[in-house]
Amino acid sequence: MSLIENMPQLTTEQVQSNLNPMQKLLDFLAELEQRKIHYKLDSVRDAIMVEIAVPGQRWEAEFFADGRVEVEIFKSEGDIREDEALTELFEIFSD
């Protein structure tokens, strides 16, 4: 008996359910491209993260295999600082 014969048989609904999270991600990426919104992809935790940068904001949308989508939005306060702020970055966030 081959390995394929030992695999459980999936119903059409199960196959479609498994494709839906991926299709949701692909549809979202297509929408971003259609609207000419720049994005980057990354792998985090157990998800594919779409990083979107728009003026004054950065969005992170995480697409999970189970179909969940988590979105976090970071908004700028509009303050533009001098290069001394980079020193503050290292002082606060270095190990």
Side-chain angles (χ1 to χ4, degrees):
M1 188 176 279
S2 75
L3 182 62
I4 293 176
E5 292 171 338
N6 287 331
M7 293 180 68
Q9 297 299 310
L10 299 175
T11 66
T12 302
E13 286 178 358
Q14 289 172 316
V15 171
Q16 289 174 342
S17 173
N18 289 337
L19 293 178
N20 284 339
M22 177 61 82
Q23 191 60 55
K24 186 185 293 188
L25 172 60
L26 294 173
D27 290 347
F28 180 68
L29 296 177
E31 182 82 12
L32 288 173
E33 294 207 13
Q34 178 185 1
R35 295 174 182 263
K36 295 180 176 31
I37 298 173
H38 177 75
Y39 66 90
K40 293 187 322 183
L41 297 177
D42 199 358
S43 173
V44 295
R45 299 186 289 164
D46 294 328
I48 301 296
M49 181 168 63
V50 183
E51 298 177 65
I52 304 123
V54 293
Q57 298 182 13
R58 187 171 55 82
W59 294 54
E60 294 178 354
E62 296 177 11
F63 289 77
F64 292 84
D66 64 4
R68 285 180 302 123
V69 177
E70 295 179 0
V71 178
E72 193 167 3
I73 304 168
F74 303 89
K75 294 183 180 180
S76 169
E77 296 174 1
D79 297 336
I80 297 178
R81 301 179 59 188
E82 300 294 324
D83 61 348
E84 292 84 22
L86 299 176
T87 303
E88 182 181 329
L89 168 74
F90 294 124
E91 288 173 357
I92 295 172
F93 297 103
S94 294
D95 287 338

